[in-house]
Every structure is written in structure tokens, then in C-alpha cells.
């Protein structure tokens, strides 16, 4: 049977049936994951090529399932969105990430923190008060918090979500458009919304080392950012060749396994210091 649906993530060697069994189990266990402390955040560095240091971190959620082991957010975030658990989950992510950032800022580190936002949270109307509460509780200045939204938000007519995003921008939060280029017609949204940062999808990097057309495409995204005063972050940088080409093309901000893996909070200071020293 074809266990269809956007939430079906087929893992290697898995049949459709075992995928369904797994999904059912995860959906059943998810409500307890938060209360039992099974969620944690890891942080991936974002590096500035001009500054030559770690400028920011992206918070990425992990679920340590007691039996199934580490579960990817690509697998359980959609389940949370379907089950109405996404708002409490995102609230926890915001509280946890800002608390951990406050610790780093207290050590005098100059960092910005990216948090992935679910469209459902924004549409629920509670994102603005939830962000305000997390900032107030942690003491983190709004300008240190980057909210990463995807274009799935903007499909259709402007609605309250647009207004809430503008409110968050007016509060001083940095707004980034994640996975830029993965979908369609993102350009129009750039005129409509208060976007500060574009995160260029890693698909763009395939082939930039030896294919002029791919390189030209990346160059045009960087140029678009320059014209609109939007910073462009290249996502998924994996090879020294990609890094060199991106620098030639004028890309100032990089994220990817080559620069740094998603890292547990306890190891974070060491990772940042090692990069900044090297
Ligand atoms: P994303 O926001 O595009 O995050 C980047 C993903 O790419 C992360 O996967 C990261 O580990 C991976 N990545 C980073 N560098 C490289 C690289 O060089 N090569 C490759 N192949 N991959 C790289 P991760 O952590 O599995 O997260 C997957 C997605 O889950 C994220 O994609 C984001 O959309 C979502 N997500 C993660 N945390 C949260 C969260 O707290 N809330 C929500 N709503 N979504 C989240
Ligand atoms: Ca992201
Ligand atoms: Ca992305
Ligand atoms: Ca700007």
C-alpha cells in the first residue's frame, strides 16, 4: 500500500507498512515527548566570511525517543502540526533557545540566534505573544533573535500572518526567508514582507564548482540580496570547492557541515572558539 501524504518520510530499507507503523507510533508518543524531556536543541554555526567568525547559530530540534532513538524534525514536526501539538512544541523551542542564547550572551559572545518557525504557529495568532514572552523571560534583545519562516506561509492572500510578521519585525526581530528557491515565485513575497535575510536553499550549491549556469544562478541570488539590502546565507556548504566559489561570487554568510555540524550546547563554546581562532 502506498502510505501517501506529505508526512510520510520513508527511511532507508523501510517498507510502506513499516513506515506507517513507525509514524503511528511517533504520533502516539509525541504528546509525552515534551513533558518527559525527550526534546533537545542542537545549534549549527553560521559563519561570516568577511568577519571570519561565527556570527550566528541556528537552533535545530531533536527528539530522543526512548526506543527508536534520535528522530529527525523532518519526521516529527509535520506530525506535531497535524496533531495540534506544534504551538506547545514551538513555545518550548523558543523558551529553550532564548535561555541558552542568554547564557552565551552573558559570556560576552556576539551572536544571533535563528529559530525555525512553523507556519501553523504564526497562523494560530500566538506567535507574537510567545516570542515576546521568551524575550522577556530570557532578557535576550529582540535583534538577537532571527525568525526563520518558509514561503509556505505566503501562499494565498495576505492575511493576519502577514501582519503578525510585520509586528515581530517592528519589535526588532530579524526575519529570514528559509529554503529560498526551493519552491516557486518567492520573488513577489520579497516585496510584500519585511524580510531581512534570505537563506538560499542548498539545492543551489549543486554544481557551482564546475557549472557556469549554476554559478550564475547563485550570483544572481546574491545580487538580488544586495539590491534589496537583504543578507544572503548559503545553506548546506559541504566542500572546500563550494566555499571557494561562494566567496568568489560574493556570498558573505555560510552555513553547512563544512563550517560546523549541529552541536550540543555543552560543546558549543569550544566549537565557536575553535573556529574563531582558526
Ligand atoms: P532547515 O531549517 O533548512 O535546517 C537545515 C537542515 O539542514 C538541518 O537539518 C541541518 O542539519 C541540515 N544541514 C546543515 N548543513 C548541512 C550540509 O552541509 N549538508 C546537508 N545535507 N544538510 C545540512 P535538520 O536538523 O534535520 O532539520 C531539518 C528541518 O527541520 C529544518 O530544515 C527545519 O525546516 C525543520 N526544523 C528543525 N528544527 C525545527 C524547529 O525547532 N521548529 C520547526 N518548526 N522546524 C524545525
Ligand atoms: Ca532553517
Ligand atoms: Ca533551510
Ligand atoms: Ca536589511
Amino acid at each position: 500500500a502506498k502510505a501517501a501524504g506529505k508526512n510520510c518520510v520513508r527511511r532507508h530499507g523501510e517498507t510502506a507498512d513499516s513506515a506507517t507503523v513507525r509514524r503511528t507510533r511517533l504520533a502516539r508518543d509525541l504528546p509525552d515527548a515534551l513533558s518527559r524531556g525527550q526534546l533537545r536543541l542542537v545549534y549549527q554555526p553560521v559563519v561570516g566570511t568577511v568577519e571570519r567568525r561565527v556570527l550566528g547559530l541556528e537552533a535545530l530540534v531533536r527528539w530522543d525517543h526512548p526506543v527508536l532513538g534520535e528522530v529527525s524534525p523532518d519526521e516529527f514536526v509535520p506530525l506535531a502540526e497535524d496533531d495540534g501539538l506544534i504551538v506547545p512544541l514551538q513555545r518550548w523551542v523558543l523558551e529553550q533557545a532564548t535561555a541558552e542564547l542568554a547564557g552565551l550572551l552573558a559570556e560576552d559572545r556576539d551572536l544571533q540566534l535563528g529559530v525555525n518557525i512553523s507556519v501553523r504557529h504564526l497562523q494560530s495568532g500566538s506567535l507574537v505573544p510567545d516570542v515576546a514572552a521568551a524575550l522577556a523571560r530570557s532578557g535576550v534583545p529582540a535583534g538577537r533573535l532571527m525568525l526563520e519562516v518558509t514561503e509556505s506561509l505566503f501562499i494565498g492572500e495576505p492575511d493576519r500572518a502577514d501582519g503578525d510578521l510585520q509586528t515581530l519585525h517592528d519589535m526588532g526581530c530579524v526575519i529570514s526567508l528559509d529554503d529560498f528557491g526551493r519552491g516557486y515565485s518567492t520573488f513577489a513575497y520579497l516585496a510584500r514582507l519585511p524580510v531581512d535575510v534570505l537563506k538560499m536553499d542548498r539545492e543551489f550549491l549543486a554544481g557551482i564548482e564546475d557549472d557556469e549556469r549554476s554559478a550564475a544562478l547563485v550570483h544572481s541570488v546574491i545580487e538580488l540580496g544586495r539590491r534589496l539590502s537583504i543578507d544572503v546565507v548559503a545553506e548546506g556548504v559541504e566542500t572546500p570547492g563550494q566555499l571557494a566559489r561562494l566567496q568568489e561570487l560574493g556570498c558573505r554568510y555560510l552555513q553547512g557541515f563544512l563550517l560546523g555540524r549541529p552541536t550540543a550546547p555543552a560543546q558549543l563554546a569550544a566549537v565557536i572558539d575553535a573556529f574563531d581562532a582558526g
Side-chain angles (χ1 to χ4, degrees):
K2 193 159 181 242
K6 66 182 164 61
N7 299 342
C8 179
V9 179
R10 186 81 57 83
R11 291 152 63 88
H12 186 69
E14 207 167 46
T15 65
D17 285 348
S18 67
T20 306
V21 169
R22 181 182 166 89
R23 198 168 70 249
T24 307
R25 167 130 203 214
L26 292 176
R28 188 194 71 199
D29 295 347
L30 190 57
D32 287 336
L34 256 176
S35 57
R36 296 190 180 158
Q38 294 168 1
L39 298 183
R40 65 190 163 88
L41 295 178
V42 290
Y43 296 90
Q44 187 177 31
V46 178
V47 168
T49 58
V50 174
E51 299 82 354
R52 294 184 161 277
R53 66 177 187 87
V54 175
L55 298 177
L57 301 169
E58 176 174 3
L60 297 161
V61 69
R62 297 287 180 267
W63 176 10
D64 296 313
H65 189 282
V67 176
L68 301 172
E70 187 177 304
V71 186
S72 151
D74 277 333
E75 202 174 1
F76 69 85
V77 166
L79 294 176
E81 288 177 331
D82 287 351
D83 287 358
L85 291 168
I86 193 66
V87 170
L89 187 149
Q90 289 292 145
R91 246 178 224 147
W92 178 84
V93 168
L94 279 166
E95 293 285 337
Q96 185 71 15
T98 51
E100 288 177 333
L101 176 65
L104 290 163
L105 295 177
E107 295 171 14
D108 241 12
R109 294 178 184 279
D110 184 9
L111 293 166
Q112 195 171 64
L113 174 76
V115 172
N116 291 288
I117 298 302
S118 165
V119 173
R120 297 287 171 86
H121 194 190
L122 191 51
Q123 287 166 341
S124 77
S126 65
L127 183 63
V128 171
D130 288 345
V131 166
L135 293 175
R137 212 183 317 259
S138 62
V140 166
R144 298 279 180 179
L145 182 64
M146 180 160 97
L147 303 173
E148 303 196 1
V149 298
T150 61
E151 65 174 8
S152 55
L153 176 64
F154 312 121
I155 292 163
E157 292 301 303
D159 57 13
R160 185 182 63 195
D162 277 30
D164 281 2
L165 208 62
Q166 185 65 53
T167 301
L168 291 160
H169 191 254
D170 294 344
M171 282 162 57
C173 295
V174 179
I175 308 295
S176 85
L177 191 54
D178 205 353
D179 304 336
F180 180 77
R182 195 184 284 177
Y184 307 96
S185 64
T186 351
F187 282 44
Y189 309 134
L190 293 178
R192 177 168 132 196
L193 290 152
V195 173
D196 304 295
V197 174
L198 281 185
K199 299 196 78 171
M200 183 166 58
D201 196 73
R202 67 169 170 270
E203 286 288 307
F204 278 97
L205 302 193
I208 57 163
E209 286 163 82
D210 38 39
D211 172 25
E212 278 317 306
R213 292 172 70 89
S214 302
L217 211 53
V218 167
H219 196 203
S220 63
V221 173
I222 292 164
E223 203 48 48
L224 176 73
R226 208 194 309 281
R227 296 263 178 114
L228 297 175
S229 303
I230 294 174
D231 294 332
V232 175
V233 179
E235 290 194 290
V237 184
E238 291 180 347
T239 69
Q242 289 173 338
L243 172 81
R245 200 77 181 92
L246 284 164
Q247 288 198 262
E248 278 168 22
L249 295 170
C251 188
R252 286 190 49 180
Y253 307 104
L254 309 173
Q255 184 177 356
F257 293 161
L258 181 71
L259 289 313
R261 295 250 164 194
T263 303
Q267 279 86 56
L268 208 47
V271 167
I272 295 169
D273 291 341
F275 192 95
D276 292 357

